[in-house]
Amino acid sequence: MQLYLPIADLPVNVFLVLAMGAAVGFVSGMFGIGGGFLMTPLLIFIGITPAVAVASVASHIAASSFSGAITYWRRRAIDPALATVLLCGGVTGTALGVWTFTRLRALGQLDLMIALSYVVLLTTVGSVMFSEGLRALMRTRRGAVPPRRTHNWIHGLPLKMRFKRSKIYLSVIPVVVVGIGIGFIGAIMGIGGGFILVPIMIYLLRVPTSTVIGTSMILTLVTMLFATMLHAVTNHLVDAVLALILMVGGVTGAQFGARAGQRIRGEQLRLLLGILILSVGIRFAVELVIRPEDLFTIRELGVTG
């Protein structure tokens, strides 16, 4: 069944897009991430311009995060205080990201920048997470005791605040900075940033894994809603028809993913997520090398459309 997308200006198979939304929603709920790092490339691969894909996927990420966040809220696996501080930076970063997005589009460099950013970010983060997850899995199989986490220089910063749900005493400075970075990247690349946020919160900020996923979903939910509104008002690139189809599939898939994620051990989740992120990064790099002419054709359409 073909359906015409008014902003993307092309027909798509409704069932294909719905299935993509459900699959990415499942991944989102399972790993506690927005899923944009997977959905945006998938849309680009089926012919939707990067600019429209980034702007429209933000609403899908928000819907998937909302569905998953409800599940974690019921389990009291969200730290409200930590989420609030993260949002102080996240909203600011999102606004800066949309402004940069608009400037790059005006200069005709947006789509190329999106492609290069995906290749660099996903291959780097995926490699690190895959390596760490593999080491953790090997330690578990050998029965070795995991290395004890020690405080780093971040925990010596001033303006500390006690986050009761997470049971940590931490400066708000690195939390706000992380929020700004995640919001900025998300607005430009169409990603929730959970696959970056979760490792940072666990390994740098020393936030317990019991509250990490749910708290990251709150940041993703709010920043992606904000990004959707800004993209719609300033760039007029949000395709409502595409966004609606993705949201229907995403909300459904996220519920099943959240349940599945509770049944898999932490080190296995990290290893699987690392493999997934690395695979998408390599796939994007292959597209960029093998078919660069398609990228430039898309870039021209994105600038003029």
Side-chain angles (χ1 to χ4, degrees):
M1 177 179 174
Q2 296 291 315
L3 182 67
Y4 180 76
L5 302 178
I7 303 299
D9 193 25
L10 83 165
V12 295
N13 187 302
V14 176
F15 297 110
L16 173 62
V17 177
L18 191 63
M20 288 167 54
V24 174
F26 182 86
V27 172
S28 173
M30 185 175 187
F31 295 112
I33 56 180
F37 76 93
L38 185 58
M39 179 55 74
T40 302
L42 287 175
L43 292 177
I44 294 174
F45 294 154
I46 66 172
I48 295 175
T49 62
V52 174
V54 168
S56 301
V57 162
S59 59
H60 167 264
I61 298 173
S64 298
S65 298
F66 176 74
S67 179
I70 291 177
T71 301
Y72 286 98
W73 180 267
R74 290 171 178 168
R75 296 172 180 166
R76 296 180 61 82
I78 294 176
D79 190 323
L82 182 59
T84 301
V85 178
L86 279 170
L87 285 172
C88 291
V91 172
T92 302
T94 301
L96 291 173
V98 173
W99 179 83
T100 304
F101 181 99
T102 305
R103 294 298 302 163
L104 287 172
R105 184 167 180 255
L107 295 172
Q109 300 298 320
L110 176 62
D111 294 351
L112 180 60
M113 181 59 66
I114 290 173
L116 293 175
S117 297
Y118 265 101
V119 172
V120 174
L121 183 63
L122 296 186
T123 53
T124 301
V125 174
S127 298
V128 172
M129 291 191 68
F130 173 77
S131 176
E132 191 282 329
L134 187 60
R135 287 198 300 269
L137 190 61
M138 294 300 292
R139 284 197 302 268
T140 302
R141 290 186 174 182
R142 293 197 305 265
V145 178
R148 184 174 180 273
R149 294 178 182 175
T150 57
H151 289 315
N152 51 41
W153 62 272
I154 291 178
H155 292 79
L157 295 174
L159 300 177
K160 290 187 176 182
M161 177 177 174
R162 193 172 300 281
F163 300 99
K164 295 182 180 180
R165 185 68 61 82
S166 298
K167 298 179 181 179
I168 56 174
Y169 188 53
L170 180 68
S171 170
V172 299
I173 296 176
V175 180
V176 172
V177 170
V178 168
I180 292 174
I182 296 299
F184 182 82
I185 293 173
I188 292 180
M189 298 178 63
I191 58 178
F195 69 96
I196 305 174
L197 178 62
V198 170
I200 289 177
M201 292 175 68
I202 292 176
Y203 299 112
L204 291 182
L205 305 184
R206 299 292 190 256
V207 179
T209 54
S210 59
T211 59
V212 161
I213 294 180
T215 304
S216 71
M217 280 190 167
I218 295 297
L219 176 65
T220 300
L221 169 61
V222 177
T223 55
M224 288 297 98
L225 277 176
F226 189 45
T228 299
M229 291 187 294
L230 291 180
H231 278 306
V233 173
T234 60
N235 298 307
H236 309 290
L237 290 172
V238 178
D239 194 307
V241 177
L242 174 62
L244 180 60
I245 298 173
L246 292 176
M247 281 191 289
V248 171
V251 170
T252 304
Q255 287 296 316
F256 291 100
R259 295 189 183 97
Q262 298 295 315
R263 302 173 183 175
I264 303 178
R265 294 198 320 230
E267 62 271 11
Q268 293 175 330
L269 276 175
R270 294 196 297 271
L271 179 61
L272 290 173
L273 182 57
I275 293 173
L276 183 60
I277 294 172
L278 185 59
S279 299
V280 177
I282 294 174
R283 177 73 168 82
F284 223 110
V286 171
E287 284 287 318
L288 193 60
V289 172
I290 295 180
R291 299 194 300 171
E293 68 281 356
D294 291 353
L295 174 65
F296 290 110
T297 300
I298 291 174
R299 179 163 62 87
E300 291 171 4
L301 291 173
V303 172
T304 58

